[in-house]
Amino acid sequence: MAATGSEKQGATAYYVSTPIYYVNDAPHLGHAYTTVAGDVLSRWHRQRGEKVWYLTGTDEHGQKIMRTAEANNVTPQEWCDKLVEEAWKPLWEHLNIANDDFIRTTEKRHTDRVQEFVQDLYDKDEIYKGGYEGPYCVGCEEYKLPGDLIEAEDGTKLCAVHKKPVEILKEENYFFKLSEYGPKLLEFYANNPGFIQPESARNEVVNFVRQGLQDLSISRSTFDWGIPVPWDEKHVIYVWVDALLNYATAVGYGANQEKFDGTFPADVHLIGKDILRFHSVIWPAMLMAQGLPLPGRVVANGWLMVGGEKMSKSNLTGIKPQDLTSHFGVDAYRWYFLRAIAYGSDGSFSWEDFTARYTSELANDYGNLASRVAAMVGKYFGGALPEATAAGEAEKAVQEGLAKAVSTADRKIGEELDFQAGILAIFDFVKQVNGYITEQEPWKVAKDESPEGRARLATILYTAAESLRGVAVLLNAVMPETSQKLWESLGAEASLGALPDQLVQDAGNWGQLPAGATVTKGAVLFPRLEEKPA
């Protein structure tokens, strides 16, 4: 039995990947959703003190790319270069995505290794020559089974994903003996129940494999935009076989054995549920055939819906992330989709919901708390964080609240990939601190200028500031720019060091902010929203 990611042999990096995205058009919210989730997960594990490798990239071969390029009167390579450099990479930089690598499937480091991988399978008699005729969706780059199709009113067969007519293709191909791996896959799923998540996705895949697998066509001969089959250059390698191998080629497969052994396989493949079978059936079967270890988890997120339709360019519902970041800001954008939608489930986006959550949770609860605390430390103690000497049960409850938030968030985000529950745990603590300040009424306590009154006021404000120190650490993976502003406002940069170096598991250790730290009231973390742009 192949090893899973949790049983890595000598691997030292926590390896997270997104799908590599098809560059037939510019990225939309759906692409950014998965990429931000991967970035948050990667940043979280880095702040656990772990070595992390975060991979994303672009899928640049196949018939769909070729047709798009032709429609724009450029070569496929010119089209890919333009989209990658002018749309994809700039968006990830804009969204503060801290990926360690960006793989392009037209790069030589990838194409050479793909040919070697496929040649190895051919030499092992895992690939044979045959013919195939059937319905093909160019959008999916996939031959479709009858159950994958829907029927239009005029009887035309449509792809269930793209709602577009399929084409009947007949061609001579090379086939991978996928059908032989059904029993091995089912055994693997049974022994590794957490391999496919969520459970609904796992059940779908298990039922699909139980029905019996067909051998996989791994080449195309009707077009030439792809990696040539090494033993027969009249064929190009099927784009999905090409694409899936990026997870291996990007970390040194066949080129840098030390890096490969220290990274591969991925601990987590984050994908959209529409490409679930490729990653949970074809990809592990290919790895089994090559004797390579299997990933730790394949986690499928749901679809972002607009008006009841999956968000996509083909459905004309694609919304540019910049449309939202220009209004709400990048950090709020990163926060919103993971906060509003349970990862793994479909979720609907609306401008009104984003606005309501921004105003209530970010501006009023979190931003206002940070502003009030800094202002009171400035007003009552000249900006020097006072020492807490009069702590009681109320302060103990806040300390326990922070410890609980740390424990819950670390488990939910770092282990279970339940971003929504992890973020909610942090914001429940923010609400608790707001409640603490409301109950303690430091503005009234400030009127008591006795030593006891001053000590009590100092304790209240220290408790609030120390709470915010913990919140800044916990939210750094989700909202790095805002967290950095808060960190500096609390004087933590000067007294505790760089925010990314703070371990999330230690964020609940109370009393880290030293008395005397300089607290300043900086810019508002979450400014009041202007009217929705026309």
Side-chain angles (χ1 to χ4, degrees), residues 18 37 52 92-93 155 165 195 223 239 241 268 272 306 314 333 395 418 431 517 525:
T18 71
V52 173
W92 297 160
E93 183 176 353
F195 173 63
F223 60 91
V239 65
V241 172
V268 179
V306 174
S314 59
Y333 175 94
E395 288 68 42
D418 187 347
K431 292 179 187 297
L525 296 183

Side-chain angles (χ1 to χ4, degrees), residues 254-371:
N256 185 336
Q257 194 64 41
E258 181 179 358
K259 180 179 180 180
F260 186 73
D261 290 342
T263 312
F264 193 84
D267 291 84
V268 179
H269 285 311
L270 297 176
I271 62 166
K273 68 178 182 180
D274 50 339
I275 54 174
L276 176 63
R277 293 179 188 175
F278 296 102
H279 286 80
S280 58
V281 179
I282 296 173
W283 178 225
M286 288 166 55
L287 293 173
M288 287 177 174
Q290 201 68 290
L292 293 172
L294 273 60
R297 281 185 281 181
V298 175
V299 183
N301 61 255
W303 287 340
L304 293 184
M305 314 291 283
V306 174
E309 288 287 329
K310 175 196 173 188
M311 188 175 296
S312 69
K313 288 294 182 182
S314 59
N315 286 340
L316 302 179
T317 56
I319 299 174
K320 292 190 300 183
Q322 295 91 332
D323 295 339
L324 300 182
T325 59
S326 63
H327 185 69
F328 295 98
V330 170
D331 268 11
Y333 175 94
R334 290 170 57 96
W335 166 86
Y336 171 74
F337 289 97
L338 297 181
R339 159 64 183 90
I341 301 168
Y343 202 76
S345 301
D346 293 346
S348 294
F349 161 77
S350 76
W351 193 280
E352 292 74 19
D353 184 61
F354 197 161
T355 300
R357 293 182 189 276
Y358 177 101
T359 301
S360 173
E361 298 179 42
L362 293 184
N364 293 348
D365 288 348
Y366 182 30
N368 190 43
L369 173 63
S371 180

Side-chain angles (χ1 to χ4, degrees), residues 74-126:
V74 294
T75 68
Q77 189 66 65
E78 288 172 336
W79 177 258
C80 293
D81 291 345
K82 177 180 175 64
L83 263 290
V84 169
E85 297 302 328
E86 295 182 9
W88 291 85
K89 284 185 176 180
L91 177 61
W92 297 160
E93 183 176 353
H94 174 65
L95 294 179
N96 215 345
I97 305 300
N99 52 294
D100 296 283
D101 194 6
F102 188 101
I103 183 78
R104 297 181 59 183
T105 57
T106 51
E107 294 177 304
K108 185 175 174 59
R109 63 167 172 155
H110 176 75
T111 59
D112 286 356
R113 303 290 86 77
V114 170
Q115 286 189 310
E116 291 172 8
F117 188 99
V118 173
Q119 182 70 58
D120 285 346
L121 292 184
Y122 185 70
D123 293 342
K124 292 176 180 177
D125 198 32
E126 293 282 353

